[in-house]
Amino acid sequence: MKYTKAFITPFLFLFFFSLSATAQLSVKVVDPGNIPLDDKVKIGKLENGLTYYIRKNTEPSKRAELYLVIKAGSLQETDDQKGLAHFTEHMAFNGTKSFPENDLIDYLQKAGVRFGADLNAYTSFDQTVYQLPLPTDNPELLETGFKILSEWAGHVSFDPKEIDKERGVIVEEERQRGKNVSERISNQLLPVLLANSRHIDRLPIGKVEVIKNFKHSSLTQYYRDWYRPDIQAVIAVGDFDEAKVESLIRKNFSTLSSPVNAPEVSSYTIPANQTPLAKIVTDPEFPYTVASVIYKHPATVTRTVTDFRNAIIRSAASNMIAIRMNDLVKSGKAPFLNASAGFGPYQGGMGDLNAFTLQVVAKSPEQLKTSIRGLMDEVIRMQRFGFTQSELDRVKLSFLNAVEKSYVERDKTSSKAYVNQYLQHYLKGETIIDMNYSYEFYKTYLEEIKLEEVNKVASGFVTPNNQIVLVQASEKNKDVLPTEAELLGWVNDQHTEVSAYVDDAVNEPLLQDKLTGGKTVKSKSVKGVSATELRLSNGVKVILKPTDFKNDEILFSAHSPGGYSLADEGDVHSSMMAGNIIASAGIGKFTSTQISKLLAGKSLAVSPFINTYAEGIQGYASPQDLETALQLTYLYFTEPRKDTTSFNRLLENVRVMTEGKAANPMAVFQDTINAVMKGRSKWASSPSLQELEQVSLQKAHDFYKSRFADASDFTFLFVGNFDIKTIKPLLEQYLGSLPSTYSKENFRDVGIKPLSGNVNKTVYRGLEDKALVVLSLHGDYKYSEKNNLNLKVLESVLETRLLERLREKESGVYSPSVSLSYVKNPSSHYSLAVSFSCAIDRVDELVKATEDEINKVRSGGPTQEELDKFIAQEKSQNEVRLRTNGFWLQYLQGAFAKETDPDYINSYEKKLDNLKLKKTKKAAKKFLSAENHIKLTLLPEKVTTKK
């Protein structure tokens, strides 16, 4: 359950690719006819005005996504209701006509639905949306699902006791999501971003004083006014009988009615500003210097052929300016640390607006002017000279590749993807485009889009009105910041001399010579998982698992034991950064920018890594691009690029981040957590500013080469849509050509482990009435699937107990979290960590309550009902993940790296069924009685002065 926050974030390095994002910019008009609605979705309306969308879809199988949508949110609140749209959403989970108090959550958990992760809702300015994913192989559960939606829509009980208990929960939600530098910066920026609009006074979280003190009647009045069928929709997509679902909707929703004289749903926008608006904001905890330039544009919806074509043109222009910014940063010639640019929805879609948004991060506060001028130079270059034909050709290739991929995967489209389309149709009026139509549209119109019209649209991104310029910076740098007038002058100075863009593209093959390759010397099946193991003549092991989960996806990885655990202590930070240094440098004779351009229109990614105990490769490719991915893999082994420019850029980014950490309470606290949970080993610590000075490109490059010099101990895994006979020659050619020395080596234990004994540390950082608490218990244990499963039971039980105790009973926490970690190598140990945020004056009380619940589980163990809930939820999740390539890649990689039995997964559900309460109680006593206890607390600095 959540509300939508609204503010411009410090970092918006986004790659805008929104084909539905449209604006009123003039482009060439083609056939203006309306786009036909996808006929595979049934759209209907009940006599009471409720709209429904029904579509049968079998991905994932035996599952359905059920949504209830209300076309009202915080904008519809009265002055005494600020925050009650969001509060109403919370109350839907605290009791309905047939499910009093928490019976609804309890019922769904028993059916395998997880609260928060599956069952959820959100409230925004103009909408409230409830989501209920359900299995469909239980007809009774599916029927009850529609009953639940209908009771949310019209029969929430609003028990007075539950209302008053929920006040504290929402106050804590505001504390957890806010009470930080982002919220303080946001509060300063919103009066400019939302100037002269209703939005500024109707943020979805509302006002704390209203939440604490509103009359019950104000809440129920909001519900009566706005939860009514004429502004509600039900969306049902999944593996079900459509006629049956339609009958369930009619049965459950036809009796709902709207009140007499129901208020109209007014439309609110954010007004235009004829003169530029500027705002400079500072905060003691803001670590960077960031400038944003925004040009607001009125939004339209995509309904016609012209709309669709224009959206593609805008997306092309948006992509090209974003790529230019990214390439400039990677070139090492940028006068700023980082930058982004793109055209898309304004502030997440507020006020029926789009925006062209530019953002730049300065290398230092003193270089803000240079950074802004460098950013605007690229905009001026775009306006004066436009883009080049080669840039547009590459973007067209990328667009065509994306739509072809979607087309190939059309029978594997997830139900949730369809739900998102129907949400936009109901809320915004966006058309629902059939994938076949979209594919044919691109094939018809993409090629004939001309550079001149794209350049015209791009030039129109920048307008003389509707401009907003913002700066966010540290309070300590306030004296070197410009005035607002100076800032606008920097942005709008058009007298800069710029030259036309030069496209640094290459047209050469990745590999100049054909590789001789190797041979498969051994082949065998991998028991129980429908996989094949190959051994190549150079010692490389390859695991192949063909699947039909996706039509256009192959995931792969490779790993070898070692990692930077094998680095010398004096070179540990150079070695630790080696993987990122090489990954950002390009490959062979090509820079990273040239590689990006060479790969335009292809669907693949390959990246090397070196972590603590292993090194390897990770990537993905469509079947037709797998050979290119293997070529890159070969080059990452044999021709890692040593690039001074990318190294200096990476080091500069790390340096600025490291300098900014001291001002960020969470960063300081995270360092404390890492030091306690990983120990004081140098191999576990981030480099200090002094240690960064010692990081050497040569040492990093040499260490990387040493880790990839011998492929004989690497295990490669491929999961996805491929035929073993077809893929085998490619593997022999490229992986079989990798160098091998047959030297046997392993990782070493470098002492990364939680501190033993009782550890109690408090960090004093921050300005707000907000505490963060981490409680952990850990210990050595015998790594086994049996023990790990029992630990997962305890994680689930503790999270449920703490949610009930800290949130529902104490009203002191919004969402307590329990996280389980267990490792096998280099030594087996586990940890169970509880974390939550709360008011500073309730820390001791809530820590005591948490320890009380842990003690109860330790002494009494889980109940049978809790164990049954865990089994149901785990089975439900297992059914879904077994149909994903990502799960199988991760699972098989873990099995082969840890040398466990891959066949275990086939008996997993049986293992779940065989879980016995007596044994889980025994496990609770064992694992929750660990001798090692950790308590870490983050408190604001003002608390220090009280002590």
Side-chain angles (χ1 to χ4, degrees):
M1 294 178 288
K2 56 190 177 185
Y3 62 94
T4 301
K5 290 192 73 172
F7 56 85
I8 188 162
T9 56
F11 298 99
L12 290 176
F13 305 124
L14 303 180
F15 192 69
F16 289 91
F17 185 71
S18 176
L19 296 184
S20 62
T22 58
Q24 292 173 352
L25 299 171
S26 176
V27 295
K28 177 183 175 183
V29 177
V30 294
D31 178 6
N34 288 331
I35 297 171
L37 282 176
D38 184 355
D39 61 5
K40 296 180 184 65
V41 56
K42 181 166 188 177
I43 305 174
K45 184 171 281 193
L46 302 181
E47 290 183 4
N48 58 14
L50 182 134
T51 304
Y52 59 85
Y53 299 77
I54 303 172
R55 182 184 186 124
K56 180 175 177 62
N57 187 57
T58 57
E59 189 61 42
S61 64
K62 302 178 183 178
R63 291 289 187 279
E65 295 283 345
L66 309 184
Y67 276 57
L68 172 68
V69 187
I70 296 95
K71 203 180 290 187
S74 60
L75 288 174
Q76 280 64 52
E77 297 165 344
T78 59
D79 286 343
D80 65 342
Q81 292 176 333
K82 293 177 182 178
L84 299 196
H86 176 234
F87 204 114
T88 300
E89 172 222 308
H90 273 241
M91 292 308 300
F93 295 90
N94 285 333
T96 65
K97 180 180 178 182
S98 304
F99 298 92
E101 298 180 347
N102 291 318
D103 285 4
L104 172 62
I105 295 172
D106 185 61
Y107 169 80
L108 291 170
Q109 285 177 332
K110 290 176 181 177
V113 179
R114 300 169 300 170
F115 180 57
D118 300 319
L119 173 69
N120 215 325
Y122 70 84
T123 302
S124 186
F125 286 101
D126 56 1
Q127 60 193 264
T128 307
V129 178
Y130 296 83
Q131 60 191 61
L132 177 58
L134 288 176
T136 57
D137 51 358
N138 182 337
E140 181 182 346
L141 178 61
L142 184 63
E143 290 189 23
T144 305
F146 286 98
K147 181 179 181 180
I148 291 169
L149 290 186
S150 71
E151 296 200 351
W152 285 339
H155 299 292
V156 175
S157 54
F158 293 103
D159 183 313
K161 291 182 180 178
E162 293 295 322
I163 292 174
D164 291 333
K165 283 169 59 178
E166 201 66 21
R167 295 180 195 266
V169 173
I170 292 181
V171 169
E172 290 309 314
E173 180 178 3
E174 192 277 337
R175 190 190 314 277
Q176 178 173 308
R177 297 179 184 273
K179 300 293 183 191
N180 54 30
V181 61
S182 292
E183 184 177 62
R184 294 194 300 273
I185 291 284
S186 173
N187 288 339
Q188 296 180 73
L189 294 179
L190 285 175
V192 178
L193 291 166
L194 307 179
N196 302 311
S197 73
R198 185 176 176 86
H199 295 70
I200 187 61
D201 199 36
R202 291 295 186 277
L203 299 182
I205 190 59
K207 301 290 186 182
V208 170
E209 57 269 27
V210 173
I211 299 302
K212 289 181 175 180
N213 301 303
F214 69 84
K215 295 179 180 179
H216 293 180
S217 58
S218 294
L219 182 65
T220 54
Q221 185 63 51
Y222 180 90
Y223 185 74
R224 283 194 298 271
D225 285 342
W226 303 111
Y227 277 60
R228 59 185 209 241
D230 62 304
I231 56 170
Q232 289 178 333
V234 173
I235 301 174
V237 183
D239 191 3
F240 47 55
D241 179 85
E242 293 168 289
K244 175 64 175 177
V245 165
E246 184 173 23
S247 70
L248 288 172
I249 291 173
R250 291 188 176 279
K251 173 184 175 183
N252 286 280
F253 290 89
S254 293
T255 57
L256 299 177
S257 61
S258 298
V260 178
N261 299 321
E264 290 186 13
V265 181
S266 300
S267 179
Y268 300 98
T269 188
I270 297 171
N273 54 287
Q274 295 303 313
T275 58
L277 301 176
K279 183 72 174 177
I280 298 170
V281 302
T282 61
D283 189 275
E285 293 176 5
F286 195 80
Y288 311 108
T289 306
V290 182
S292 305
V293 184
I294 304 166
Y295 300 90
K296 296 184 294 186
H297 292 270
T300 62
V301 296
T302 302
R303 295 192 183 98
T304 69
V305 169
T306 301
D307 295 334
F308 197 2
R309 186 178 184 278
N310 291 353
I312 295 172
I313 292 172
R314 277 185 291 276
S315 290
S318 180
N319 271 258
M320 286 188 286
I321 187 60
I323 291 169
R324 279 194 183 182
M325 293 290 185
N326 188 47
D327 288 349
L328 181 59
V329 170
K330 291 195 293 185
S331 74
K333 300 176 182 177
F336 39 72
L337 190 68
N338 234 319
S340 66
F343 188 91
Y346 179 68
Q347 297 295 295
M350 285 191 290
D352 291 326
L353 292 175
N354 284 329
F356 179 51
T357 302
L358 303 149
Q359 195 164 68
V360 66
V361 184
K363 294 181 178 180
S364 69
E366 292 78 12
Q367 297 181 68
L368 177 60
K369 180 179 180 179
T370 305
S371 299
I372 290 175
R373 289 307 315 145
L375 177 78
M376 297 311 296
D377 282 352
E378 294 308 310
V379 176
I380 293 169
R381 196 186 322 276
M382 176 187 74
Q383 287 181 294
R384 291 182 186 173
F385 300 101
F387 298 103
T388 66
Q389 187 63 50
S390 57
E391 290 176 286
L392 180 58
D393 290 343
R394 283 195 299 272
V395 166
K396 285 183 177 181
L397 277 174
S398 297
F399 283 12
L400 196 57
N401 175 70
V403 76
E404 285 177 343
K405 187 177 182 68
S406 296
Y407 180 74
V408 170
E409 297 284 12
R410 63 193 182 281
D411 62 327
K412 303 294 173 63
T413 302
S414 71
S415 293
K416 190 163 285 189
Y418 287 121
V419 167
N420 291 333
Q421 287 186 49
Y422 308 154
L423 277 170
Q424 293 307 307
H425 180 265
Y426 181 68
L427 294 169
K428 305 294 184 184
E430 290 281 349
T431 193
I432 301 171
I433 305 177
D434 174 67
M435 190 61 242
N436 294 310
Y437 181 93
S438 182
Y439 178 69
E440 291 301 325
F441 189 96
Y442 272 85
K443 298 287 281 188
T444 301
Y445 289 111
L446 187 61
E447 183 57 36
E448 58 92 17
I449 288 175
K450 303 303 181 186
L451 180 63
E452 292 77 14
E453 56 186 324
V454 177
N455 285 336
K456 183 178 179 181
V457 167
S459 181
F461 285 167
V462 178
T463 57
N465 58 0
N466 283 315
Q467 184 191 64
I468 300 175
V469 183
L470 310 169
V471 167
Q472 305 164 70
S474 172
E475 179 75 21
K476 69 181 181 181
N477 299 318
K478 195 170 186 177
D479 292 342
V480 301
L481 298 177
T483 65
E484 291 177 355
E486 288 173 326
L487 177 62
L488 288 173
W490 296 352
V491 170
N492 294 314
D493 178 8
Q494 291 287 315
H495 301 294
T496 305
E497 291 296 324
V498 296
S499 56
Y501 178 79
V502 177
D503 192 3
D504 178 27
V506 293
N507 186 21
E508 299 179 41
L510 286 170
L511 292 175
Q512 299 296 325
D513 302 315
K514 184 176 175 65
L515 304 177
T516 56
K519 296 293 182 183
T520 301
V521 296
K522 187 177 180 181
S523 176
K524 66 177 182 178
S525 62
V526 181
K527 181 185 176 184
V529 292
S530 301
T532 299
E533 178 182 325
L534 307 180
R535 179 73 71 169
L536 303 184
S537 52
N538 59 351
V540 170
K541 182 191 293 185
V542 183
I543 311 300
L544 302 173
K545 180 174 175 58
T547 70
D548 60 359
F549 310 146
K550 289 285 186 180
N551 299 327
D552 199 44
E553 180 180 85
I554 299 173
L555 306 182
F556 61 92
S557 69
H559 63 270
S560 164
Y564 58 79
S565 71
L566 300 181
D568 294 334
E569 185 171 358
D571 299 332
V572 65
H573 291 117
S574 296
S575 304
M576 188 183 295
M577 295 176 66
N580 288 335
I581 288 170
I582 298 301
S584 65
I587 195 69
K589 66 179 183 178
F590 303 113
T591 66
S592 59
T593 298
Q594 290 171 333
I595 287 289
S596 296
K597 293 176 179 180
L598 270 175
L599 301 180
K602 294 183 181 295
S603 178
L604 66 96
V606 181
S607 181
F609 68 85
I610 301 177
N611 60 31
T612 312
Y613 300 116
E615 60 275 340
I617 298 284
Q618 51 197 8
Y620 69 85
S622 61
Q624 65 268 27
D625 294 326
L626 179 61
E627 183 170 7
T628 305
L630 291 172
Q631 290 174 349
L632 286 169
T633 299
Y634 174 82
L635 288 170
Y636 274 122
F637 271 83
T638 60
E639 295 186 44
R641 182 181 175 87
K642 186 168 67 173
D643 187 280
T644 303
T645 298
S646 63
F647 171 74
N648 290 336
R649 182 176 61 85
L650 178 63
L651 215 59
E652 189 171 39
N653 272 278
V654 176
R655 186 180 296 112
V656 171
M657 289 174 60
T658 304
E659 288 173 343
K661 283 170 66 174
N664 186 333
M666 276 304 303
V668 174
F669 191 50
Q670 188 60 55
D671 279 350
T672 302
I673 294 172
N674 290 341
V676 172
M677 298 305 295
K678 295 183 178 180
R680 298 186 177 91
S681 167
K682 192 167 184 178
W683 283 260
S685 64
S686 300
S688 64
L689 287 172
Q690 292 74 23
E691 288 169 328
L692 275 176
E693 296 298 324
Q694 305 304 314
V695 172
S696 161
L697 173 59
Q698 186 63 53
K699 289 181 178 179
H701 188 261
D702 289 347
F703 184 76
Y704 178 94
K705 288 180 68 176
S706 73
R707 299 314 317 136
F708 287 84
D710 180 12
S712 65
D713 64 347
F714 272 79
T715 299
F716 283 80
L717 299 104
F718 292 81
V719 178
N721 184 21
F722 58 82
D723 175 75
I724 291 180
K725 288 183 179 179
T726 303
I727 197 176
K728 188 176 172 183
L730 292 174
L731 302 177
E732 291 174 333
Q733 181 180 0
Y734 294 105
L735 303 188
S737 295
L738 295 176
S740 292
T741 61
Y742 300 96
S743 58
K744 291 189 176 182
E745 59 184 1
N746 208 339
F747 52 78
R748 61 173 175 161
D749 191 342
V750 289
I752 299 177
K753 196 174 182 180
L755 299 181
S756 59
N758 292 321
V759 179
N760 189 344
K761 291 182 179 292
T762 301
V763 175
Y764 295 96
R765 284 286 196 284
L767 307 173
E768 304 279 3
D769 177 13
K770 179 178 181 176
L772 291 175
V773 178
V774 175
L775 303 173
S776 175
L777 40 87
H778 65 90
D780 297 332
Y781 82 127
K782 180 182 178 182
Y783 184 98
S784 69
E785 301 295 357
K786 176 184 174 183
N787 281 335
N788 294 345
L789 185 54
N790 278 317
L791 281 166
K792 289 173 72 174
V793 173
L794 296 177
E795 176 190 31
S796 173
V797 171
L798 280 175
E799 188 150 277
T800 300
R801 293 266 187 109
L802 292 175
L803 189 71
E804 292 172 352
R805 175 71 180 271
L806 303 184
R807 173 173 166 145
E808 302 301 331
K809 183 177 180 181
E810 306 289 347
S811 295
V813 168
Y814 171 58
S815 60
S817 172
V818 180
S819 59
L820 165 66
S821 171
Y822 48 75
V823 298
K824 182 178 182 182
N825 297 315
S827 61
S828 301
H829 61 272
Y830 73 94
S831 67
L832 276 163
V834 177
S835 60
F836 57 84
S837 64
C838 64
I840 59 176
D841 60 358
R842 298 198 67 184
V843 169
D844 292 342
E845 168 196 354
L846 294 171
V847 166
K848 185 177 179 181
T850 301
E851 292 172 341
D852 182 45
E853 292 302 320
I854 292 173
N855 290 335
K856 287 178 182 177
V857 177
R858 179 173 60 237
S859 60
T863 65
Q864 187 63 54
E865 183 177 282
E866 288 172 327
L867 184 59
D868 291 342
K869 284 182 181 179
F870 168 78
I871 292 170
Q873 291 174 24
E874 191 65 13
K875 280 185 175 182
S876 179
Q877 290 305 301
N878 194 52
E879 286 178 6
V880 174
R881 60 191 176 218
L882 285 175
R883 293 284 302 169
T884 63
N885 291 325
F887 166 77
W888 278 106
L889 184 70
Q890 184 179 26
Y891 173 75
L892 291 173
Q893 181 173 307
F896 281 92
K898 298 171 186 175
E899 298 180 333
T900 57
D901 184 6
D903 191 37
Y904 171 77
I905 192 65
N906 292 311
S907 60
Y908 186 60
E909 290 207 8
K910 186 177 180 181
K911 295 284 195 303
L912 289 170
D913 289 332
N914 288 338
L915 280 170
K916 303 299 181 185
L917 192 62
K918 182 178 179 180
K919 291 184 177 180
T920 58
K921 289 178 181 289
K922 185 177 179 181
K925 285 185 170 63
K926 176 182 177 181
F927 293 123
L928 299 182
S929 298
E931 297 179 357
N932 305 302
H933 297 264
I934 293 169
K935 177 188 173 187
L936 306 174
T937 311
L938 174 65
L939 293 174
E941 293 167 69
K942 63 183 178 182
V943 176
T944 312
T945 60
K946 294 181 179 180
K947 299 219 169 188

